Amino acid sequence: KAEEILFDVLKIKGLATSLPGEIDFNFRIKVDNSEGYILKISRPNEDENYLDFQQKLLQYVAENGEDFIAPKVVNEKEGKAIATIKDDFGNHRKVRLLTWISGRVWSSVNPQLNNSRFSLGKQCGLLTASLKGFNHKKATREFVWDVAQSLWTKEHIHLFSDAKKEIITYFQ
Protein backbone atom coordinates (compact mmCIF):
# COMPACT_ATOMS: atom_id res chain seq x y z
CA LYS A 1 0.00 0.00 0.00
CA ALA A 2 2.90 2.38 0.80
CA GLU A 3 4.33 1.82 -2.69
CA GLU A 4 0.93 2.60 -4.21
CA ILE A 5 0.60 5.81 -2.16
CA LEU A 6 4.15 6.80 -3.12
CA PHE A 7 3.34 6.50 -6.80
CA ASP A 8 -0.12 8.09 -6.60
CA VAL A 9 1.05 11.12 -4.60
CA LEU A 10 4.65 11.59 -5.76
CA LYS A 11 4.90 9.67 -9.04
CA ILE A 12 7.88 7.70 -7.68
CA LYS A 13 8.26 3.96 -8.06
CA GLY A 14 10.18 2.28 -5.29
CA LEU A 15 10.39 -0.67 -2.93
CA ALA A 16 8.94 0.09 0.52
CA THR A 17 10.22 -1.46 3.75
CA SER A 18 8.55 -0.69 7.07
CA LEU A 19 10.54 1.34 9.64
CA PRO A 20 9.77 1.92 13.32
CA GLY A 21 8.10 5.17 14.30
CA GLU A 22 6.55 6.76 17.35
CA ILE A 23 3.59 8.38 15.59
CA ASP A 24 3.76 8.07 11.81
CA PHE A 25 3.91 4.96 9.67
CA ASN A 26 7.40 5.19 8.19
CA PHE A 27 8.84 3.38 5.18
CA ARG A 28 12.32 3.21 3.70
CA ILE A 29 11.91 3.65 -0.03
CA LYS A 30 14.58 2.15 -2.26
CA VAL A 31 14.78 3.36 -5.84
CA ASP A 32 17.30 2.66 -8.57
CA ASN A 33 20.31 5.02 -8.79
CA SER A 34 19.45 6.92 -5.59
CA GLU A 35 19.97 6.78 -1.82
CA GLY A 36 16.18 6.60 -1.59
CA TYR A 37 13.62 8.19 0.66
CA ILE A 38 11.60 7.99 3.84
CA LEU A 39 7.85 7.95 3.25
CA LYS A 40 5.85 9.16 6.26
CA ILE A 41 2.13 8.45 6.46
CA SER A 42 0.30 9.99 9.39
CA ARG A 43 -2.31 8.44 11.58
CA PRO A 44 -5.85 9.63 10.82
CA ASN A 45 -6.62 13.24 11.76
CA GLU A 46 -3.04 14.06 12.82
CA ASP A 47 -2.50 17.70 13.80
CA GLU A 48 -1.48 19.29 10.50
CA ASN A 49 0.17 22.20 12.34
CA TYR A 50 2.53 19.75 14.05
CA LEU A 51 3.41 18.14 10.71
CA ASP A 52 3.90 21.62 9.22
CA PHE A 53 6.31 22.36 12.10
CA GLN A 54 8.36 19.26 11.26
CA GLN A 55 8.50 20.10 7.56
CA LYS A 56 9.33 23.79 8.13
CA LEU A 57 12.06 22.83 10.60
CA LEU A 58 13.71 20.56 8.02
CA GLN A 59 13.38 23.23 5.33
CA TYR A 60 14.91 25.84 7.65
CA VAL A 61 17.85 23.56 8.47
CA ALA A 62 18.39 22.88 4.76
CA GLU A 63 18.61 26.63 4.10
CA ASN A 64 20.71 27.54 7.17
CA GLY A 65 22.67 24.42 8.09
CA GLU A 66 26.10 24.68 6.53
CA ASP A 67 27.80 21.26 6.56
CA PHE A 68 24.92 19.76 8.55
CA ILE A 69 23.65 16.42 7.28
CA ALA A 70 19.84 16.25 7.38
CA PRO A 71 17.02 14.85 5.28
CA LYS A 72 15.55 17.19 2.68
CA VAL A 73 11.83 17.67 2.17
CA VAL A 74 10.57 16.34 -1.16
CA ASN A 75 7.45 18.12 -2.39
CA GLU A 76 4.58 16.17 -3.86
CA LYS A 77 3.53 16.48 -7.52
CA GLU A 78 1.58 19.72 -6.89
CA GLY A 79 4.52 21.32 -5.05
CA LYS A 80 3.26 20.94 -1.48
CA ALA A 81 5.41 19.56 1.36
CA ILE A 82 2.40 17.71 2.83
CA ALA A 83 -0.15 15.82 0.75
CA THR A 84 -3.53 14.51 1.94
CA ILE A 85 -4.93 11.11 1.00
CA LYS A 86 -8.07 9.21 1.94
CA ASP A 87 -7.34 5.67 3.12
CA ASP A 88 -9.45 2.57 2.42
CA PHE A 89 -11.58 3.34 5.50
CA GLY A 90 -12.34 6.95 4.55
CA ASN A 91 -9.81 8.47 6.97
CA HIS A 92 -7.73 11.45 5.91
CA ARG A 93 -3.99 10.95 6.29
CA LYS A 94 -1.06 13.23 5.61
CA VAL A 95 1.81 12.02 3.42
CA ARG A 96 5.35 13.39 3.47
CA LEU A 97 8.56 12.35 1.75
CA LEU A 98 12.12 13.01 2.90
CA THR A 99 15.46 12.09 1.39
CA TRP A 100 17.19 9.11 2.97
CA ILE A 101 20.36 9.68 5.01
CA SER A 102 22.51 6.58 5.34
CA GLY A 103 23.93 5.84 8.76
CA ARG A 104 23.29 4.04 12.02
CA VAL A 105 21.10 4.83 15.00
CA TRP A 106 23.41 5.99 17.81
CA SER A 107 22.13 3.31 20.21
CA SER A 108 23.34 0.62 17.78
CA VAL A 109 26.88 2.04 17.54
CA ASN A 110 29.25 -0.28 19.39
CA PRO A 111 31.81 0.55 20.54
CA GLN A 112 31.05 4.25 21.03
CA LEU A 113 34.56 5.59 20.63
CA ASN A 114 35.71 9.13 21.36
CA ASN A 115 35.95 10.08 17.68
CA SER A 116 32.34 8.91 17.21
CA ARG A 117 31.25 10.95 20.22
CA PHE A 118 33.13 13.97 18.87
CA SER A 119 31.44 13.56 15.48
CA LEU A 120 28.01 13.28 17.12
CA GLY A 121 28.71 16.34 19.28
CA LYS A 122 29.86 18.31 16.24
CA GLN A 123 26.64 17.43 14.36
CA CYS A 124 24.54 18.43 17.41
CA GLY A 125 26.37 21.76 17.50
CA LEU A 126 25.83 22.32 13.78
CA LEU A 127 22.13 21.52 14.21
CA THR A 128 21.82 23.93 17.12
CA ALA A 129 23.55 26.68 15.13
CA SER A 130 21.39 26.05 12.06
CA LEU A 131 18.19 26.35 14.13
CA LYS A 132 19.08 29.81 15.42
CA GLY A 133 16.19 32.11 14.57
CA PHE A 134 13.72 29.31 13.78
CA ASN A 135 10.28 29.65 15.33
CA HIS A 136 6.93 27.98 14.84
CA LYS A 137 3.77 27.92 16.93
CA LYS A 138 4.28 24.18 17.56
CA ALA A 139 7.98 24.51 18.49
CA THR A 140 7.17 24.76 22.20
CA ARG A 141 5.18 21.94 23.75
CA GLU A 142 5.35 19.42 26.56
CA PHE A 143 7.09 16.08 26.27
CA VAL A 144 6.77 13.84 29.33
CA TRP A 145 10.03 12.11 28.37
CA ASP A 146 12.07 15.34 28.19
CA VAL A 147 14.46 15.54 31.17
CA ALA A 148 14.33 19.34 31.00
CA GLN A 149 10.55 19.13 31.54
CA SER A 150 10.58 16.38 34.18
CA LEU A 151 9.32 18.30 37.21
CA TRP A 152 5.87 16.76 36.68
CA THR A 153 7.40 13.69 38.36
CA LYS A 154 7.29 15.48 41.74
CA GLU A 155 3.56 14.68 41.88
CA HIS A 156 4.45 10.97 41.96
CA ILE A 157 7.36 10.93 44.43
CA HIS A 158 5.12 9.35 47.07
CA LEU A 159 5.17 6.12 45.04
CA PHE A 160 8.82 5.45 45.95
CA SER A 161 10.58 4.19 49.07
CA ASP A 162 12.56 6.67 51.20
CA ALA A 163 15.92 5.59 49.73
CA LYS A 164 14.68 5.96 46.18
CA LYS A 165 12.90 9.23 47.02
CA GLU A 166 16.23 10.67 48.17
CA ILE A 167 17.94 9.78 44.88
CA ILE A 168 15.07 11.01 42.72
CA THR A 169 14.68 14.24 44.70
CA TYR A 170 18.39 14.94 44.28
CA PHE A 171 18.04 14.81 40.50
CA GLN A 172 14.77 16.72 40.43
Side-chain angles (χ1 to χ4, degrees):
K1 190 67 179 174
E3 293 169 3
E4 183 181 314
I5 291 168
L6 176 71
F7 187 76
D8 289 347
V9 174
L10 295 136
K11 297 299 181 218
I12 295 173
K13 286 190 178 190
L15 180 63
T17 306
S18 183
L19 294 170
E22 180 185 7
I23 298 171
D24 296 321
F25 295 100
N26 300 304
F27 300 90
R28 163 87 193 264
I29 304 297
K30 291 187 179 182
V31 295
D32 292 335
N33 303 319
S34 170
E35 285 288 321
Y37 305 96
I38 299 174
L39 178 67
K40 301 177 76 59
I41 303 171
S42 74
R43 297 196 181 273
N45 305 312
E46 181 64 47
D47 181 356
E48 190 165 355
N49 289 322
Y50 180 62
L51 299 178
D52 179 68
F53 159 68
Q54 293 177 35
Q55 297 300 87
K56 294 264 173 55
L57 184 139
L58 288 170
Q59 290 166 330
Y60 190 87
V61 167
E63 293 168 9
N64 298 288
E66 285 185 41
D67 300 324
F68 182 70
I69 302 165
K72 307 276 187 281
V73 172
V74 179
N75 291 337
E76 48 88 80
K77 62 186 178 187
E78 295 175 10
K80 294 187 269 179
I82 302 172
T84 303
I85 63 164
K86 191 179 279 192
D87 68 17
D88 294 342
F89 303 100
N91 298 309
H92 288 93
R93 296 176 182 266
K94 304 300 180 188
V95 176
R96 299 171 291 145
L97 190 69
L98 308 173
T99 58
W100 177 263
I101 302 294
S102 292
R104 294 184 293 168
V105 176
W106 178 251
S107 62
S108 71
V109 174
N110 188 10
Q112 293 179 353
L113 302 173
N114 284 340
N115 62 345
S116 298
R117 288 186 184 98
F118 179 82
S119 176
L120 176 62
K122 182 178 177 183
Q123 288 299 308
C124 289
L126 289 170
L127 174 60
T128 299
S130 70
L131 288 171
K132 188 175 182 179
F134 177 76
N135 201 1
H136 191 280
K137 59 186 169 185
K138 288 289 186 173
T140 306
R141 60 198 179 286
E142 289 184 27
F143 287 113
V144 295
W145 49 262
D146 182 0
V147 173
Q149 299 178 23
S150 64
L151 294 181
W152 63 268
T153 60
K154 285 186 173 189
E155 298 172 27
H156 306 282
I157 196 73
H158 67 277
L159 299 172
F160 297 91
S161 68
D162 288 339
K164 289 183 180 176
K165 276 184 195 177
E166 187 177 337
I167 294 169
I168 294 169
T169 304
Y170 172 82
F171 287 102
Q172 287 174 326

